[in-house]
Amino acid sequence: MKVKITTLVENTVGISGSRELIAEHGLAFLIETGTQRILFDTGQYLALENNARVLGQDLATIDTVVLSHGHYDHTGGLRHLLECNAAFSLYAHPDVFARKLIKRKGQYRKVGIPVPKDALVKKGDALNLNTGPVALTPEIMTSGEIPLASEFETVAEGFFVEKDGRMVPDTLADDQALVLKTARGPVVVLGCSHRGVINTLRQVSKITGQKRIHAVLGGLHLAKATAEKLETILQHLQRFGPEKMVVGHCTGSHAIA
């Protein structure tokens, strides 16, 4: 299977690229297989529409959307897709539509998906909401829920979800990855790795039966990680032997370096 992955939304834009591209705090990858055009996450909103146009990518031809989790910087672009795309299949965890908030300095702020579930249903888009791994094709699958197995990776504090009128800590069970099976090993596409990159790779290894990971792309949510935590993650990461690391978004410049 030949696959082409194009970054449509990211926090930064290289100065060597087109001056018409824009950056925003968010993430979106276009994955082309020859028979499918899959959008993994959608950014916040503005960058997706602009960058797809600049890069010559027609969003109206997207047939599949996979959401890594329900935060606005990964789901906001759905608003544009509803306007320009006749119909697509959406894959996500059921909790992706939960009312998510973040607490900073004693104040709650909405950080959830800005598109209501009813809007997608009314438009006729096919919703595939599952907690476990789901195969999109024989070579492409979602990771399903990521078990919190490692002692050094926990969900960051400050994330909440509203349930029955109460604010409770959000364990971000909707956090998931997309897995591409290749001859060189799995390629793992991440949103934010809120449940931990090592936990995620362990889940990928479990569902694919592959101990080695060929490539890791996306966000690792390590911007505030201590030096000790980074060293621990690096040690465990090396056990998977990834040949390529293409990370950004919420990873943090120090962790990227």
Side-chain angles (χ1 to χ4, degrees), residues 54 60-61 99 110 117 121 128 139 151 153 159 165 170 184 218 232:
V54 173
T61 62
R99 189 169 186 267
K110 296 179 182 178
K117 183 179 179 180
V121 173
N128 300 276
E139 296 85 15
E151 69 281 359
E153 289 182 313
F159 291 112
D170 189 358
R184 296 185 178 182
T232 300

Side-chain angles (χ1 to χ4, degrees), residues 5-234:
I5 302 177
T6 303
T7 304
L8 294 183
V9 181
E10 220 281 313
N11 288 35
T12 60
V13 173
I15 59 174
S16 61
S18 169
R19 294 188 178 184
E20 296 180 6
L21 292 172
I22 61 175
E24 70 179 13
H25 179 76
L27 196 66
F29 291 113
L30 173 63
I31 302 169
E32 300 173 87
T33 68
T35 59
Q36 275 190 298
R37 288 170 59 80
I38 302 169
L39 187 63
F40 180 79
D41 285 346
T42 69
Q44 285 193 43
Y45 180 64
L46 292 176
L48 179 67
E49 177 183 4
N50 179 82
N51 294 350
R53 174 183 54 79
V54 173
L55 295 172
Q57 298 291 349
D58 185 2
L59 295 176
T61 62
I62 298 294
D63 51 67
T64 305
V65 176
V66 179
L67 298 180
S68 64
H69 62 296
H71 283 161
Y72 72 98
D73 50 325
H74 296 259
T75 62
L78 282 174
R79 289 175 292 177
H80 179 63
L81 285 179
L82 285 175
E83 298 171 357
C84 73
N85 191 295
F88 54 85
S89 296
L90 185 143
Y91 291 82
H93 187 283
D95 289 352
V96 76
F97 291 104
R99 189 169 186 267
K100 293 174 175 290
L101 305 99
I102 192 170
K103 188 176 183 181
R104 292 287 186 269
K105 298 180 179 180
Q107 299 294 319
Y108 289 101
R109 177 170 61 88
K110 296 179 182 178
V111 293
I113 184 171
V115 176
K117 183 179 179 180
D118 289 347
L120 293 163
V121 173
K122 183 178 180 181
K123 189 171 180 293
D125 295 317
L127 301 186
N128 300 276
L129 306 178
N130 295 274
T131 58
V134 176
L136 280 63
T137 73
E139 296 85 15
I140 303 176
M141 64 190 304
T142 64
S143 66
E145 285 189 13
I146 309 298
L148 292 171
S150 68
E151 69 281 359
F152 53 88
E153 289 182 313
T154 57
V155 176
E157 295 181 354
F159 291 112
F160 288 83
V161 63
E162 185 176 343
K163 291 185 178 181
D164 300 322
R166 298 185 301 111
M167 301 300 180
V168 297
D170 189 358
T171 63
L172 282 153
D174 53 323
D175 180 74
Q176 64 176 349
L178 190 65
V179 185
L180 315 179
K181 301 176 185 177
T182 76
R184 296 185 178 182
V187 173
V188 184
V189 188
L190 306 166
C192 272
S193 307
H194 281 292
R195 305 272 286 189
V197 61
I198 302 303
N199 284 332
T200 302
L201 296 184
R202 286 175 175 173
Q203 170 71 354
V204 171
S205 181
K206 177 182 178 180
I207 63 178
T208 63
Q210 300 291 315
K211 293 183 178 181
R212 296 184 68 84
I213 303 295
H214 174 57
V216 177
L217 296 79
L220 306 188
H221 211 265
L222 296 173
K224 296 182 179 180
T226 63
E228 181 181 6
K229 181 175 180 178
L230 285 179
E231 183 60 33
T232 300
I233 288 175
L234 284 171

